[in-house]
Amino acid sequence: MSKVIVVYHSGYGHTERVADFVAQGANAQKVVIDADGNVDEAGWQALNGADAIIFGSPTYMGMVSWQFKKFADATSKQWFSSAWKDKVAGGFTISASPSGDKLSTLQYFITLSMQQGMIWVGQPSMNDGTVNRLGSNSGVMAQVGPTSPAADIPQGDLDTARAYGARVAEIAAKLRA
Ligand SMILES: Cc1cc2nc3c(=O)[nH]c(=O)nc-3n(C[C@H](O)[C@H](O)[C@H](O)COP(=O)(O)O)c2cc1C
């Protein structure tokens, strides 16, 4: 079995709801990036001890939130010692518009993972109109309208998130073996 951590920032609870499903699929522990962009010491320890790390952020102005970026910058400490090299990586985001430039957010996660020497896992579920309805293969995309609560996130998006978590965990377990 692999140890998977889902580390995420959520301003208003939408990313958190997606994180719940990713974590469920991966049987993962969640680590929160707080409103000041900080992770507590226990969170850092969990991240450093993980086989796989799945990054989550809302898409704000076509990119990760500043809180997530502050976290990413703080991982320069791990970069200096290649501490996260060969860990498995994945990511998810949510936005209000069908596109909303979410791809930029996933691509930032990929860049961060490559900088850290991690091994990125794509999202292979086919778009059947419900699962992976937004047709993303770089990672998980979810979307719900700007005035909708997190409870209204389409179930297909959440199912996609759960399946992706399971895939990351499975790949991490294979690599660990
Ligand atoms: C500062 C800010 C910037 C946003 N920028 C975008 C954007 O670029 N594209 C988009 O589709 N939605 C955008 N949104 C909407 C959020 O992505 C969306 O509401 C998301 O579900 C919020 O997740 P959260 O509740 O985890 O913060 C933005 C929201 C905020 C507050």
mmCIF file with all atom_site columns, all heavy atoms in Angstrom, residues 14 25 28 39 43 45 51 54-55 57 64 80 85 90 103 113 128-129 146 151:
data_model
loop_
_atom_site.group_PDB
_atom_site.id
_atom_site.type_symbol
_atom_site.label_atom_id
_atom_site.label_alt_id
_atom_site.label_comp_id
_atom_site.label_asym_id
_atom_site.label_entity_id
_atom_site.label_seq_id
_atom_site.pdbx_PDB_ins_code
_atom_site.Cartn_x
_atom_site.Cartn_y
_atom_site.Cartn_z
_atom_site.occupancy
_atom_site.B_iso_or_equiv
_atom_site.pdbx_formal_charge
_atom_site.auth_seq_id
_atom_site.auth_comp_id
_atom_site.auth_asym_id
_atom_site.auth_atom_id
_atom_site.pdbx_PDB_model_num
ATOM 1   N N   . HIS A 1 14  ? -15.073 24.799 -2.484  1.00 0.00 ? 14  HIS A N   1
ATOM 2   C CA  . HIS A 1 14  ? -15.277 23.982 -3.681  1.00 0.00 ? 14  HIS A CA  1
ATOM 3   C C   . HIS A 1 14  ? -14.114 23.014 -3.901  1.00 0.00 ? 14  HIS A C   1
ATOM 4   O O   . HIS A 1 14  ? -14.314 21.811 -4.122  1.00 0.00 ? 14  HIS A O   1
ATOM 5   C CB  . HIS A 1 14  ? -15.465 24.877 -4.912  1.00 0.00 ? 14  HIS A CB  1
ATOM 6   C CG  . HIS A 1 14  ? -16.664 25.767 -4.816  1.00 0.00 ? 14  HIS A CG  1
ATOM 7   N ND1 . HIS A 1 14  ? -16.642 26.964 -4.127  1.00 0.00 ? 14  HIS A ND1 1
ATOM 8   C CD2 . HIS A 1 14  ? -17.928 25.638 -5.304  1.00 0.00 ? 14  HIS A CD2 1
ATOM 9   C CE1 . HIS A 1 14  ? -17.843 27.527 -4.197  1.00 0.00 ? 14  HIS A CE1 1
ATOM 10  N NE2 . HIS A 1 14  ? -18.644 26.742 -4.900  1.00 0.00 ? 14  HIS A NE2 1
ATOM 11  N N   . GLY A 1 25  ? -10.701 8.240  -2.969  1.00 0.00 ? 25  GLY A N   1
ATOM 12  C CA  . GLY A 1 25  ? -10.237 7.277  -3.974  1.00 0.00 ? 25  GLY A CA  1
ATOM 13  C C   . GLY A 1 25  ? -8.834  6.779  -3.680  1.00 0.00 ? 25  GLY A C   1
ATOM 14  O O   . GLY A 1 25  ? -8.498  5.619  -3.929  1.00 0.00 ? 25  GLY A O   1
ATOM 15  N N   . ALA A 1 28  ? -6.277  8.602  1.046   1.00 0.00 ? 28  ALA A N   1
ATOM 16  C CA  . ALA A 1 28  ? -5.206  9.550  1.374   1.00 0.00 ? 28  ALA A CA  1
ATOM 17  C C   . ALA A 1 28  ? -5.541  10.415 2.575   1.00 0.00 ? 28  ALA A C   1
ATOM 18  O O   . ALA A 1 28  ? -6.711  10.626 2.906   1.00 0.00 ? 28  ALA A O   1
ATOM 19  C CB  . ALA A 1 28  ? -4.961  10.456 0.168   1.00 0.00 ? 28  ALA A CB  1
ATOM 20  N N   . VAL A 1 39  ? 1.270   25.734 5.655   1.00 0.00 ? 39  VAL A N   1
ATOM 21  C CA  . VAL A 1 39  ? 0.995   24.334 6.023   1.00 0.00 ? 39  VAL A CA  1
ATOM 22  C C   . VAL A 1 39  ? 1.653   24.116 7.381   1.00 0.00 ? 39  VAL A C   1
ATOM 23  O O   . VAL A 1 39  ? 2.778   24.593 7.607   1.00 0.00 ? 39  VAL A O   1
ATOM 24  C CB  . VAL A 1 39  ? 1.611   23.386 4.961   1.00 0.00 ? 39  VAL A CB  1
ATOM 25  C CG1 . VAL A 1 39  ? 1.677   21.955 5.449   1.00 0.00 ? 39  VAL A CG1 1
ATOM 26  C CG2 . VAL A 1 39  ? 0.813   23.463 3.648   1.00 0.00 ? 39  VAL A CG2 1
ATOM 27  N N   . GLY A 1 43  ? 1.813   18.707 8.684   1.00 0.00 ? 43  GLY A N   1
ATOM 28  C CA  . GLY A 1 43  ? 1.529   18.608 7.246   1.00 0.00 ? 43  GLY A CA  1
ATOM 29  C C   . GLY A 1 43  ? 2.807   18.439 6.432   1.00 0.00 ? 43  GLY A C   1
ATOM 30  O O   . GLY A 1 43  ? 2.872   17.594 5.530   1.00 0.00 ? 43  GLY A O   1
ATOM 31  N N   . GLN A 1 45  ? 5.593   17.226 7.484   1.00 0.00 ? 45  GLN A N   1
ATOM 32  C CA  . GLN A 1 45  ? 6.144   15.891 7.754   1.00 0.00 ? 45  GLN A CA  1
ATOM 33  C C   . GLN A 1 45  ? 5.420   14.831 6.937   1.00 0.00 ? 45  GLN A C   1
ATOM 34  O O   . GLN A 1 45  ? 6.032   13.922 6.383   1.00 0.00 ? 45  GLN A O   1
ATOM 35  C CB  . GLN A 1 45  ? 6.028   15.578 9.240   1.00 0.00 ? 45  GLN A CB  1
ATOM 36  C CG  . GLN A 1 45  ? 7.169   16.199 10.044  1.00 0.00 ? 45  GLN A CG  1
ATOM 37  C CD  . GLN A 1 45  ? 7.055   15.891 11.530  1.00 0.00 ? 45  GLN A CD  1
ATOM 38  O OE1 . GLN A 1 45  ? 6.420   14.919 11.928  1.00 0.00 ? 45  GLN A OE1 1
ATOM 39  N NE2 . GLN A 1 45  ? 7.668   16.734 12.347  1.00 0.00 ? 45  GLN A NE2 1
ATOM 40  N N   . ASP A 1 51  ? 4.516   8.699  -0.480  1.00 0.00 ? 51  ASP A N   1
ATOM 41  C CA  . ASP A 1 51  ? 4.924   8.098  -1.756  1.00 0.00 ? 51  ASP A CA  1
ATOM 42  C C   . ASP A 1 51  ? 4.375   8.926  -2.909  1.00 0.00 ? 51  ASP A C   1
ATOM 43  O O   . ASP A 1 51  ? 4.962   8.960  -3.989  1.00 0.00 ? 51  ASP A O   1
ATOM 44  C CB  . ASP A 1 51  ? 4.352   6.671  -1.884  1.00 0.00 ? 51  ASP A CB  1
ATOM 45  C CG  . ASP A 1 51  ? 4.877   5.765  -0.794  1.00 0.00 ? 51  ASP A CG  1
ATOM 46  O OD1 . ASP A 1 51  ? 6.110   5.695  -0.633  1.00 0.00 ? 51  ASP A OD1 1
ATOM 47  O OD2 . ASP A 1 51  ? 4.058   5.142  -0.084  1.00 0.00 ? 51  ASP A OD2 1
ATOM 48  N N   . ILE A 1 54  ? -0.773  14.700 -4.234  1.00 0.00 ? 54  ILE A N   1
ATOM 49  C CA  . ILE A 1 54  ? -1.741  15.214 -5.210  1.00 0.00 ? 54  ILE A CA  1
ATOM 50  C C   . ILE A 1 54  ? -2.046  16.661 -4.840  1.00 0.00 ? 54  ILE A C   1
ATOM 51  O O   . ILE A 1 54  ? -2.507  16.945 -3.733  1.00 0.00 ? 54  ILE A O   1
ATOM 52  C CB  . ILE A 1 54  ? -3.025  14.360 -5.230  1.00 0.00 ? 54  ILE A CB  1
ATOM 53  C CG1 . ILE A 1 54  ? -2.679  12.880 -5.447  1.00 0.00 ? 54  ILE A CG1 1
ATOM 54  C CG2 . ILE A 1 54  ? -3.961  14.860 -6.331  1.00 0.00 ? 54  ILE A CG2 1
ATOM 55  C CD1 . ILE A 1 54  ? -3.886  11.935 -5.421  1.00 0.00 ? 54  ILE A CD1 1
ATOM 56  N N   . PHE A 1 55  ? -1.774  17.581 -5.775  1.00 0.00 ? 55  PHE A N   1
ATOM 57  C CA  . PHE A 1 55  ? -1.927  19.013 -5.540  1.00 0.00 ? 55  PHE A CA  1
ATOM 58  C C   . PHE A 1 55  ? -3.336  19.471 -5.935  1.00 0.00 ? 55  PHE A C   1
ATOM 59  O O   . PHE A 1 55  ? -3.858  19.065 -6.979  1.00 0.00 ? 55  PHE A O   1
ATOM 60  C CB  . PHE A 1 55  ? -0.915  19.800 -6.378  1.00 0.00 ? 55  PHE A CB  1
ATOM 61  C CG  . PHE A 1 55  ? 0.520   19.434 -6.122  1.00 0.00 ? 55  PHE A CG  1
ATOM 62  C CD1 . PHE A 1 55  ? 1.291   18.821 -7.104  1.00 0.00 ? 55  PHE A CD1 1
ATOM 63  C CD2 . PHE A 1 55  ? 1.108   19.703 -4.891  1.00 0.00 ? 55  PHE A CD2 1
ATOM 64  C CE1 . PHE A 1 55  ? 2.619   18.489 -6.873  1.00 0.00 ? 55  PHE A CE1 1
ATOM 65  C CE2 . PHE A 1 55  ? 2.440   19.371 -4.644  1.00 0.00 ? 55  PHE A CE2 1
ATOM 66  C CZ  . PHE A 1 55  ? 3.201   18.763 -5.638  1.00 0.00 ? 55  PHE A CZ  1
ATOM 67  N N   . SER A 1 57  ? -5.884  23.110 -6.146  1.00 0.00 ? 57  SER A N   1
ATOM 68  C CA  . SER A 1 57  ? -6.086  24.560 -5.978  1.00 0.00 ? 57  SER A CA  1
ATOM 69  C C   . SER A 1 57  ? -7.275  24.972 -6.825  1.00 0.00 ? 57  SER A C   1
ATOM 70  O O   . SER A 1 57  ? -7.477  24.434 -7.921  1.00 0.00 ? 57  SER A O   1
ATOM 71  C CB  . SER A 1 57  ? -4.836  25.324 -6.456  1.00 0.00 ? 57  SER A CB  1
ATOM 72  O OG  . SER A 1 57  ? -5.085  26.724 -6.482  1.00 0.00 ? 57  SER A OG  1
ATOM 73  N N   . VAL A 1 64  ? -3.139  29.013 -10.252 1.00 0.00 ? 64  VAL A N   1
ATOM 74  C CA  . VAL A 1 64  ? -3.352  28.602 -8.861  1.00 0.00 ? 64  VAL A CA  1
ATOM 75  C C   . VAL A 1 64  ? -3.578  29.841 -7.986  1.00 0.00 ? 64  VAL A C   1
ATOM 76  O O   . VAL A 1 64  ? -3.190  30.949 -8.354  1.00 0.00 ? 64  VAL A O   1
ATOM 77  C CB  . VAL A 1 64  ? -2.119  27.816 -8.321  1.00 0.00 ? 64  VAL A CB  1
ATOM 78  C CG1 . VAL A 1 64  ? -1.943  26.499 -9.054  1.00 0.00 ? 64  VAL A CG1 1
ATOM 79  C CG2 . VAL A 1 64  ? -0.833  28.654 -8.375  1.00 0.00 ? 64  VAL A CG2 1
ATOM 80  N N   . PHE A 1 80  ? 15.974  21.891 -2.944  1.00 0.00 ? 80  PHE A N   1
ATOM 81  C CA  . PHE A 1 80  ? 17.414  21.997 -2.694  1.00 0.00 ? 80  PHE A CA  1
ATOM 82  C C   . PHE A 1 80  ? 18.045  20.646 -2.374  1.00 0.00 ? 80  PHE A C   1
ATOM 83  O O   . PHE A 1 80  ? 19.201  20.397 -2.707  1.00 0.00 ? 80  PHE A O   1
ATOM 84  C CB  . PHE A 1 80  ? 17.709  22.983 -1.548  1.00 0.00 ? 80  PHE A CB  1
ATOM 85  C CG  . PHE A 1 80  ? 17.875  24.395 -2.023  1.00 0.00 ? 80  PHE A CG  1
ATOM 86  C CD1 . PHE A 1 80  ? 16.977  25.377 -1.662  1.00 0.00 ? 80  PHE A CD1 1
ATOM 87  C CD2 . PHE A 1 80  ? 18.938  24.750 -2.856  1.00 0.00 ? 80  PHE A CD2 1
ATOM 88  C CE1 . PHE A 1 80  ? 17.118  26.684 -2.105  1.00 0.00 ? 80  PHE A CE1 1
ATOM 89  C CE2 . PHE A 1 80  ? 19.099  26.062 -3.301  1.00 0.00 ? 80  PHE A CE2 1
ATOM 90  C CZ  . PHE A 1 80  ? 18.180  27.027 -2.934  1.00 0.00 ? 80  PHE A CZ  1
ATOM 91  N N   . LYS A 1 85  ? 12.097  13.959 -4.996  1.00 0.00 ? 85  LYS A N   1
ATOM 92  C CA  . LYS A 1 85  ? 12.448  13.260 -6.237  1.00 0.00 ? 85  LYS A CA  1
ATOM 93  C C   . LYS A 1 85  ? 11.880  11.834 -6.214  1.00 0.00 ? 85  LYS A C   1
ATOM 94  O O   . LYS A 1 85  ? 11.973  11.150 -5.195  1.00 0.00 ? 85  LYS A O   1
ATOM 95  C CB  . LYS A 1 85  ? 13.974  13.218 -6.388  1.00 0.00 ? 85  LYS A CB  1
ATOM 96  C CG  . LYS A 1 85  ? 14.469  12.580 -7.661  1.00 0.00 ? 85  LYS A CG  1
ATOM 97  C CD  . LYS A 1 85  ? 15.982  12.752 -7.771  1.00 0.00 ? 85  LYS A CD  1
ATOM 98  C CE  . LYS A 1 85  ? 16.537  11.952 -8.926  1.00 0.00 ? 85  LYS A CE  1
ATOM 99  N NZ  . LYS A 1 85  ? 16.571  10.518 -8.625  1.00 0.00 ? 85  LYS A NZ  1
ATOM 100 N N   . GLY A 1 90  ? 0.214   14.288 -8.764  1.00 0.00 ? 90  GLY A N   1
ATOM 101 C CA  . GLY A 1 90  ? -1.011  14.483 -9.534  1.00 0.00 ? 90  GLY A CA  1
ATOM 102 C C   . GLY A 1 90  ? -1.652  15.791 -9.108  1.00 0.00 ? 90  GLY A C   1
ATOM 103 O O   . GLY A 1 90  ? -1.150  16.475 -8.206  1.00 0.00 ? 90  GLY A O   1
ATOM 104 N N   . LEU A 1 103 ? -6.658  24.917 -17.409 1.00 0.00 ? 103 LEU A N   1
ATOM 105 C CA  . LEU A 1 103 ? -5.504  24.141 -17.862 1.00 0.00 ? 103 LEU A CA  1
ATOM 106 C C   . LEU A 1 103 ? -4.196  24.755 -17.352 1.00 0.00 ? 103 LEU A C   1
ATOM 107 O O   . LEU A 1 103 ? -3.243  24.034 -17.048 1.00 0.00 ? 103 LEU A O   1
ATOM 108 C CB  . LEU A 1 103 ? -5.493  24.048 -19.397 1.00 0.00 ? 103 LEU A CB  1
ATOM 109 C CG  . LEU A 1 103 ? -4.387  23.189 -20.011 1.00 0.00 ? 103 LEU A CG  1
ATOM 110 C CD1 . LEU A 1 103 ? -4.444  21.754 -19.493 1.00 0.00 ? 103 LEU A CD1 1
ATOM 111 C CD2 . LEU A 1 103 ? -4.504  23.188 -21.542 1.00 0.00 ? 103 LEU A CD2 1
ATOM 112 N N   . SER A 1 113 ? 5.890   19.761 -10.295 1.00 0.00 ? 113 SER A N   1
ATOM 113 C CA  . SER A 1 113 ? 6.284   18.352 -10.130 1.00 0.00 ? 113 SER A CA  1
ATOM 114 C C   . SER A 1 113 ? 7.594   18.060 -10.853 1.00 0.00 ? 113 SER A C   1
ATOM 115 O O   . SER A 1 113 ? 8.461   17.341 -10.324 1.00 0.00 ? 113 SER A O   1
ATOM 116 C CB  . SER A 1 113 ? 5.188   17.429 -10.675 1.00 0.00 ? 113 SER A CB  1
ATOM 117 O OG  . SER A 1 113 ? 3.974   17.703 -10.035 1.00 0.00 ? 113 SER A OG  1
ATOM 118 N N   . ASP A 1 128 ? -17.403 10.653 -21.116 1.00 0.00 ? 128 ASP A N   1
ATOM 119 C CA  . ASP A 1 128 ? -18.659 10.016 -21.539 1.00 0.00 ? 128 ASP A CA  1
ATOM 120 C C   . ASP A 1 128 ? -19.843 10.956 -21.306 1.00 0.00 ? 128 ASP A C   1
ATOM 121 O O   . ASP A 1 128 ? -21.001 10.530 -21.258 1.00 0.00 ? 128 ASP A O   1
ATOM 122 C CB  . ASP A 1 128 ? -18.855 8.683  -20.805 1.00 0.00 ? 128 ASP A CB  1
ATOM 123 C CG  . ASP A 1 128 ? -19.108 8.860  -19.311 1.00 0.00 ? 128 ASP A CG  1
ATOM 124 O OD1 . ASP A 1 128 ? -19.138 10.012 -18.834 1.00 0.00 ? 128 ASP A OD1 1
ATOM 125 O OD2 . ASP A 1 128 ? -19.305 7.840  -18.627 1.00 0.00 ? 128 ASP A OD2 1
ATOM 126 N N   . GLY A 1 129 ? -19.522 12.243 -21.128 1.00 0.00 ? 129 GLY A N   1
ATOM 127 C CA  . GLY A 1 129 ? -20.576 13.225 -20.887 1.00 0.00 ? 129 GLY A CA  1
ATOM 128 C C   . GLY A 1 129 ? -20.824 13.447 -19.409 1.00 0.00 ? 129 GLY A C   1
ATOM 129 O O   . GLY A 1 129 ? -21.413 14.451 -19.017 1.00 0.00 ? 129 GLY A O   1
ATOM 130 N N   . PRO A 1 146 ? -20.579 30.261 -10.820 1.00 0.00 ? 146 PRO A N   1
ATOM 131 C CA  . PRO A 1 146 ? -20.006 31.186 -9.837  1.00 0.00 ? 146 PRO A CA  1
ATOM 132 C C   . PRO A 1 146 ? -20.854 31.392 -8.577  1.00 0.00 ? 146 PRO A C   1
ATOM 133 O O   . PRO A 1 146 ? -20.314 31.703 -7.517  1.00 0.00 ? 146 PRO A O   1
ATOM 134 C CB  . PRO A 1 146 ? -19.861 32.491 -10.618 1.00 0.00 ? 146 PRO A CB  1
ATOM 135 C CG  . PRO A 1 146 ? -20.752 32.367 -11.799 1.00 0.00 ? 146 PRO A CG  1
ATOM 136 C CD  . PRO A 1 146 ? -20.827 30.910 -12.116 1.00 0.00 ? 146 PRO A CD  1
ATOM 137 N N   . ALA A 1 151 ? -21.874 21.971 -2.829  1.00 0.00 ? 151 ALA A N   1
ATOM 138 C CA  . ALA A 1 151 ? -22.784 20.815 -2.892  1.00 0.00 ? 151 ALA A CA  1
ATOM 139 C C   . ALA A 1 151 ? -23.322 20.599 -4.307  1.00 0.00 ? 151 ALA A C   1
ATOM 140 O O   . ALA A 1 151 ? -23.798 19.509 -4.629  1.00 0.00 ? 151 ALA A O   1
ATOM 141 C CB  . ALA A 1 151 ? -23.944 21.017 -1.929  1.00 0.00 ? 151 ALA A CB  1
#
